[in-house]
């Protein structure tokens, strides 16, 4: 069985306060240009290698942000 999931990894040009790091981030739309089309592991719990891989996700970008 195959399911399709879409979501945003990073919104562009929007200020985000990262409380755990104590700073503010804003990502330009070109910040991840080299990742467009890249396929990465999709994990439910964590990006750490110990979490089980559920499938693969491919990055693309639109006006809102970097998506998968």
């Amino acid at each position: 069985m195959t399911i399709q999931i879409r979501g945003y990894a990073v919104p562009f040009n929007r200020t985000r306060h990262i409380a755990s790091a104590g700073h503010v981030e804003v990502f330009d739309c070109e910040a991840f240009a080299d990742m467009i089309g890249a396929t990465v592991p999709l994990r439910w719990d964590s990006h750490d290698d110990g979490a089980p891989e559920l499938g693969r996700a491919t990055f693309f970008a639109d006006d809102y942000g970097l998506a998968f």
Side-chain angles (χ1 to χ4, degrees):
M1 180 171 90
T2 300
I3 58 173
Q4 184 177 29
I5 300 170
R6 292 182 69 172
Y8 287 93
V10 179
F12 297 144
N13 300 315
R14 288 166 177 81
T15 303
R16 298 190 62 194
H17 180 255
I18 311 301
S20 61
H23 66 271
V24 174
E25 295 180 336
V26 177
F27 292 99
D28 182 77
C29 61
E30 295 297 320
F32 298 96
D34 60 334
M35 294 180 70
I36 303 304
T39 301
V40 297
L42 180 62
R43 302 178 192 279
W44 180 263
D45 186 36
S46 171
H47 64 277
D48 295 334
D49 290 335
E53 185 176 314
L54 302 175
R56 308 288 291 176
T58 303
F59 287 118
F60 65 95
D62 61 17
D63 291 339
Y64 184 80
L66 179 69
F68 57 88

